[in-house]
């Protein structure tokens, strides 16, 4: 297994940890390959019901390894560089599209491609001291890993232009105020808060949560009538699940439902 990307499955929750703490989890080719593999495993493994995406050593991810880029290695042909980048960017697509909820734990810094990957997730829990920035313009890049797409969908084009063209460094509170971050917690509590949220999703009605995610993704590009059709189909399918029947029974019995993802 790739030791730059750690995976731990427990109670239906797959924790994916970027593991280059000495470089604040900056992306290099080995880490990128490991992230794509982990994301595919998360999407395909029926034992995985939710994902917690985090970084080791008190930082999420500062994006690409700029130090490595500056070392002046022999340049690859344009087509090869393009193909390599596009393969790596699959991690964001998979996390965004797979029918399982994904929680990103943001601490230390989330910058560049690191922020892009965080934005591909469904929810983001940030520590109080976390710094958040698109960063690309400051190093002469236009952006990758889906950041321009996700930020535009999340906040609108005007705010996305501001955050990419001006590249401000936001505090976690500032990011929360504009809707980039779901919740901000004290630094000492971010591990527990992110894990608790992700585990609660892993123990939830997995089929319904997957359809909720699909409905919202559909709303990003489908017409109203098509979204209505999707909602009707998914709602009807949920009605036949064991989890729905358990929830209805628990409601009548005034107790908390025990979902099994079925």
């Amino acid at each position: 297994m790739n030791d730059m990307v750690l995976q731990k499955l427990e109670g239906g929750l797959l924790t994916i940890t970027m593991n280059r703490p000495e470089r604040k989890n900056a992306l290099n080719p080995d880490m990128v390959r490991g992230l794509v593999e982990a994301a595919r495993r998360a999407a395909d493994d029926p034992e995985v019901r939710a994902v917690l995406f985090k970084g080791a050593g008190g930082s999420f991810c500062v994006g690409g390894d700029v130090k490595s880029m500056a070392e002046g290695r022999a340049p690859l042909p344009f087509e090869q560089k393009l193909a390599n980048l596009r393969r790596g960017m699959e991690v964001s697509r998979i996390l965004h599209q797979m029918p399982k909820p994904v929680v990103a734990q943001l601490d230390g810094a989330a910058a560049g491609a690191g922020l892009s990957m965080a934005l591909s997730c469904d929810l983001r829990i940030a520590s109080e001291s976390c710094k958040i920035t698109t960063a690309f313009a400051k190093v002469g890049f236009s952006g990758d890993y889906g950041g321009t797409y996700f930020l535009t969908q999340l906040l609108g084009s005007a705010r996305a232009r501001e955050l990419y063209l001006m590249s401000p460094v936001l505090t976690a509170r500032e990011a929360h105020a504009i809707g980039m971050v779901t919740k901000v917690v004290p630094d000492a509590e971010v591990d527990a808060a992110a894990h608790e949220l992700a585990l609660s999703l892993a123990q939830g009605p997995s089929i319904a949560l997957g359809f909720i995610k699909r409905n919202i993704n559909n709303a990003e590009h489908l017409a109203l009538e098509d979204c209505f059709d999707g909602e009707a189909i998914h709602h009807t399918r949920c009605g036949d699940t064991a989890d729905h029947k358990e929830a209805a029974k628990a409601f009548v019995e005034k107790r908390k439902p025990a979902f099994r993802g079925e």
Side-chain angles (χ1 to χ4, degrees):
M1 184 177 289
N2 189 324
D3 62 3
M4 291 188 184
V5 178
L6 307 179
Q7 300 181 46
K8 180 181 179 182
L9 177 59
E10 188 172 16
L13 176 62
L14 179 66
T15 300
I16 300 173
T17 305
M18 294 174 281
N19 189 37
R20 290 187 77 203
E22 74 285 355
R23 298 290 301 139
K24 296 186 178 180
N25 301 313
L27 299 173
N28 68 4
D30 287 338
M31 178 181 281
V32 169
R33 281 191 291 271
L35 286 173
V36 174
E37 290 170 3
R40 285 180 176 148
R41 183 259 179 105
D44 296 340
D45 188 343
E47 296 299 314
V48 176
R49 296 172 61 183
V51 175
L52 175 60
F53 188 28
K54 61 189 290 189
S59 191
F60 182 68
C61 175
V62 295
D65 194 334
V66 178
K67 181 179 178 181
S68 176
M69 296 176 196
E71 290 176 352
R73 297 175 181 173
L76 295 172
F78 174 83
E79 291 77 11
Q80 186 62 56
K81 289 190 290 186
L82 179 62
N84 289 346
L85 178 58
R86 190 61 185 82
R87 277 195 297 270
M89 289 167 63
E90 280 294 281
V91 62
S92 293
R93 184 192 64 78
I94 295 168
L95 293 177
H96 181 67
Q97 292 184 344
M98 71 179 185
K100 301 173 185 182
V102 184
V103 176
Q105 177 183 319
L106 308 185
D107 39 6
L115 176 59
S116 298
M117 292 188 296
L119 293 170
S120 79
C121 301
D122 301 297
L123 301 168
R124 286 158 291 282
I125 305 299
S127 65
E128 190 82 47
S129 67
C130 185
K131 302 301 184 203
I132 296 170
T133 179
T134 59
F136 291 108
K138 292 182 178 178
V139 292
F141 277 127
S142 56
D144 58 18
Y145 281 71
T148 53
Y149 172 85
F150 298 123
L151 204 53
T152 301
Q153 293 289 343
L154 188 64
L155 304 180
S157 64
R159 184 70 80 174
R161 291 173 201 275
E162 174 189 338
L163 295 174
Y164 265 85
L165 293 172
M166 299 170 64
S167 197
V169 178
L170 304 180
T171 66
R173 292 290 176 188
E174 289 170 335
H176 180 262
I178 63 174
M180 287 179 72
V181 166
T182 309
K183 185 178 182 181
V184 179
V185 299
D187 290 4
E189 299 175 16
V190 68
D191 279 304
H195 185 269
E196 180 181 1
L197 173 58
L199 186 60
S200 72
L201 293 168
Q203 295 174 345
S206 299
I207 295 172
L209 296 182
F211 283 146
I212 288 170
K213 184 168 177 176
R214 185 176 299 177
N215 287 341
I216 294 170
N217 285 349
N218 284 345
E220 293 175 345
H221 63 92
L222 293 183
L224 178 62
E225 290 296 326
D226 293 326
C227 288
F228 274 20
D229 288 342
E231 281 191 344
I233 291 168
H234 300 152
H235 188 89
T236 303
R237 286 179 176 170
C238 285
D240 293 330
T241 64
D243 279 344
H244 167 68
K245 294 177 174 63
E246 162 62 11
K249 184 178 179 182
F251 179 81
V252 172
E253 297 174 355
K254 295 182 172 56
R255 60 174 174 82
K256 184 178 178 179
F259 295 118
R260 298 187 301 173
E262 301 173 352

